[in-house]
Amino acid sequence: MKKLLVANRGEIAIRVMRTAKKLGIKTVAVYSTIDRQSPHVKYADEAVLIGEAPSNQSYLLGDNIIEVAKNLNVDAIHPGYGFLSENADFAEACEKNDIIFIGPKSHAIRVMGSKLAAKETVKAYDIPMVPGTDEAITDIPEAKKIAKGIGFPILIKASAGGGGKGMRIVENEAEFESQMDRAISEAINAFGDGSVFIEKYVASPRHIEIQVMADTHGNVIHLFERECSIQRRHQKVVEEAPSSVLTPELRQQMGEAAVRVAKACDYIGAGTVEFLLDENHNFYFLEMNTRLQVEHPVSEIITNTDLVELQILVARGETLPIQQNDLKIHGHALELRVYAEDPLNDFLPSVGTLEVYKLPEGPGIRVDNGFEQGMEIPIYYDPMISKLITYGNTRDEAISLMKTAISNYHIEGIQTTLPFGTFVCEHDAFRSGHFDTHFVKKYYAADQLLDEQKAEAKIAALIAVKHYIEEQKQLKIPN
Ligand code: MV4
């Protein structure tokens, strides 16, 4: 593999190219008109304009990207996350054009893209699943009987959904039919596929996911878990590894289950198996994400690995250089997603220019960044600017360093989720580890930040007064 094209933008494009450079592989960036001056374009050895700003006229045009790759003699395409990363047709088109798609085969992408096909595929592999139906519901009265058997509340999920899209809670029997009708018509509208199924609603779960890695020789390993319960409307904001609730036994059981899920779909490369963990520490398979995820750095840090490097080795047909027994957890890592969103204003996108943009640095701090001072945040794409990652020997160390790093991250011109990160790091529920996926809804309101900011302003004012008094004293030294 001599030349790699990254079909993405922002921090992930740079992240992938960083490892390609380390391995002596030439890099090609693609960009839309609005990204002409973006860091990912400057960072690459070559860069090609592929279209207009809207992603359906640029980053989503698989055929154009493959044309560019062929013209430049590209050996492999890394799709990053989002955009074409979970597009089975694109993975197939790469293969047909003799370009390595850095990811699993299209079969695995397709199977996991359908929640019902996924359940069907892993069924014979002894994977715990939430009680429910495993076929598309066609007979609503029959489904209602099943729902009554499971007990309300239940959840209706669209097979083509995922990541929280196409879900509906049904609180009681009386609203079953109407919610079912709505769920089906929503699924048809959103995904062109009205297949839905039902599951028991797990009321206060934690979201725990297992990182897996598989080579083309049948070796599959897991790289432990990430805890991703701190999310807002299915958008993760803070992730960490390891989770503070898993025992070594549970970690091993979940890890082994994740490996079986990967084996069930002949998985190749980096993947993530999502589980729900209930209050009694029962775990249930939810779905598999067939890409490198945003939050992969926390796993890299606690396992001392480079997941992009492993992806590339596996894509070249090499055997995984590490085995399960080589892996151990080292310390603790935290990640805060820095979004151009205003936590004081319902997390609305905050548009504008990065008038000041200075990254924190130092031991235990990693920033995966896609922007620089003076740039505007385009409205066309995901509003994530960077990921602030901290790590230490213990969870407390990582949290404390996160607070310091946030205060040394200087952003002016737009509002960001940095102050929200401070809120999380200072919250007792987070610090003690007693939280679930309802953390943000349950504890966060804008006035929490305002109170915190007022307290900080007060301290700043006191320090200023102290300085002033000291200065006055020095001025009054008699000669
Ligand atoms: C659930 C659930 C409770 N019970 N399934 C949301 C994302 C998608 N992967 C599945 N999701 C959920 N499935 C059952 N049977 C609760 C969620 C859920 C959730 C899961 C992970 C992280 C955040 C979440 C927020 C709300 C709901």
Side-chain angles (χ1 to χ4, degrees):
M1 193 185 294
K2 297 196 181 67
K3 209 192 253 192
L4 172 71
L5 182 150
V6 182
N8 216 301
R9 62 183 300 283
E11 66 86 17
I12 194 61
I14 295 170
R15 160 70 193 94
V16 170
M17 290 190 245
R18 173 164 70 76
T19 292
K21 288 188 180 191
K22 181 175 94 179
L23 300 178
I25 299 168
K26 292 271 176 248
T27 56
V28 179
V30 291
Y31 61 95
S32 70
T33 47
I34 203 156
D35 277 339
R36 243 177 241 283
Q37 307 293 331
S38 291
H40 85 277
V41 175
K42 296 180 204 161
Y43 193 73
D45 295 309
E46 291 173 88
V48 182
L49 176 70
I50 49 165
E52 297 299 315
S55 45
N56 61 3
Q57 294 171 47
S58 49
Y59 297 105
L60 287 173
L61 293 176
D63 292 344
N64 289 18
I65 292 172
I66 288 174
E67 269 317 299
V68 168
K70 289 205 292 195
N71 291 338
L72 296 183
N73 283 316
V74 161
D75 303 299
I77 296 182
H78 195 302
Y81 50 71
F83 297 130
L84 296 163
S85 62
E86 290 174 285
N87 184 320
D89 294 337
F90 179 69
E92 222 166 74
C94 287
E95 283 165 39
K96 284 212 182 87
N97 286 283
D98 278 325
I99 297 166
I100 299 168
F101 173 79
I102 301 194
K105 295 281 166 250
S106 56
H107 165 75
I109 303 178
R110 248 184 220 113
V111 165
M112 292 303 166
S114 156
K115 306 308 141 202
L116 280 169
K119 282 193 172 203
E120 185 62 35
T121 304
V122 306
K123 217 171 171 179
Y125 287 76
D126 189 28
I127 309 298
M129 283 189 269
V130 188
T133 58
D134 53 11
E135 271 172 66
I137 286 162
T138 48
D139 181 341
I140 294 181
E142 173 63 24
K144 189 171 175 176
K145 270 189 215 154
I146 297 170
K148 274 156 77 175
I150 296 171
F152 288 92
I154 60 118
L155 201 54
I156 309 174
K157 293 185 176 182
S159 178
K165 281 184 234 130
M167 301 196 330
R168 223 159 228 294
I169 300 176
V170 188
E171 299 287 354
N172 54 57
E173 204 183 320
E175 55 181 71
F176 186 80
E177 283 89 354
S178 64
Q179 292 286 39
M180 188 58 84
D181 287 344
R182 277 197 220 164
I184 293 172
S185 68
E186 266 178 21
I188 292 171
N189 276 325
F191 314 112
D193 173 3
S195 310
V196 301
F197 59 98
I198 59 179
E199 278 180 359
K200 181 175 179 53
Y201 178 63
V202 182
S204 303
R206 298 174 76 118
H207 173 136
I208 309 271
E209 56 186 34
I210 307 282
Q211 176 70 52
V212 297
M213 185 61 77
D215 66 19
T216 52
H217 307 279
N219 304 300
V220 189
I221 59 172
H222 70 82
L223 296 97
F224 311 110
E225 78 280 6
R226 293 184 289 260
E227 159 91 56
C228 306
S229 299
I230 309 291
Q231 54 83 44
R232 186 184 163 274
R233 301 193 188 162
H234 304 294
Q235 190 188 58
K236 295 167 186 163
V237 197
V238 175
E239 302 104 338
E240 64 182 306
S243 162
S244 49
V245 284
L246 293 203
T247 58
E249 294 73 32
L250 188 53
R251 174 169 297 122
Q252 187 179 341
Q253 283 175 28
M254 293 180 76
E256 287 171 1
V259 165
R260 291 197 298 277
V261 169
K263 286 185 170 160
C265 65
D266 298 318
Y267 202 79
I268 297 169
T272 298
V273 183
E274 275 185 36
F275 294 99
L276 284 184
L277 186 71
D278 72 15
E279 297 109 320
N280 303 319
H281 289 192
N282 298 304
F283 66 92
Y284 308 97
F285 169 64
L286 273 188
E287 49 191 80
M288 181 170 191
N289 300 313
T290 57
R291 60 172 187 273
L292 182 73
Q293 290 199 223
V294 175
E295 60 272 27
H296 76 276
V298 294
S299 299
E300 295 186 317
I301 288 167
I302 65 150
T303 56
N304 276 322
T305 57
D306 177 337
L307 289 171
V308 176
E309 179 174 352
L310 293 177
Q311 283 187 301
I312 291 173
L313 299 189
V314 161
R316 292 197 298 218
E318 294 170 32
T319 302
L320 276 175
I322 36 177
Q323 295 179 345
Q324 193 65 55
N325 288 334
D326 302 330
L327 286 167
K328 243 185 61 185
I329 296 177
H330 304 274
H332 201 100
L334 261 188
E335 173 179 284
L336 169 66
R337 297 191 188 188
V338 184
Y339 288 107
E341 291 177 347
D342 186 359
L344 292 179
N345 194 8
D346 204 27
F347 293 85
L348 284 178
S350 177
V351 291
T353 304
L354 293 168
E355 303 291 356
V356 174
Y357 191 66
K358 293 204 171 66
L359 305 180
E361 48 193 286
I365 298 176
R366 164 174 166 182
V367 189
D368 281 16
N369 173 45
F371 286 85
E372 59 193 32
Q373 192 159 296
M375 280 178 71
E376 262 182 59
I377 313 289
I379 55 163
Y380 298 94
Y381 316 109
D382 184 275
M384 199 177 77
I385 309 169
S386 75
K387 305 180 306 208
L388 174 55
I389 304 131
T390 62
Y391 50 98
N393 289 321
T394 63
R395 186 169 187 267
D396 283 347
E397 251 180 73
I399 293 175
S400 154
L401 196 50
M402 179 61 81
K403 290 200 285 180
T404 310
I406 290 172
S407 58
N408 291 328
Y409 201 149
H410 299 293
I411 305 182
E412 283 172 31
I414 57 158
Q415 301 303 313
T416 73
T417 48
L418 282 175
F420 178 78
T422 306
F423 166 80
V424 173
C425 287
E426 290 183 343
H427 200 283
D428 286 340
F430 181 71
R431 300 185 68 88
S432 67
H434 296 292
F435 59 90
D436 58 39
T437 53
H438 302 300
F439 176 91
V440 180
K441 194 170 54 188
K442 210 148 96 188
Y443 301 118
Y444 180 72
D447 53 359
Q448 299 279 333
L449 279 197
L450 289 174
D451 289 350
E452 222 162 72
Q453 285 172 358
K454 273 185 205 150
E456 270 169 31
K458 203 167 171 181
I459 292 167
L462 288 172
I463 293 170
V465 168
K466 188 171 184 297
H467 273 288
Y468 175 78
I469 292 169
E470 296 292 322
E471 233 164 69
Q472 291 297 308
K473 276 185 196 156
Q474 285 182 10
L475 288 174
K476 280 179 192 151
I477 292 170
N479 30 348

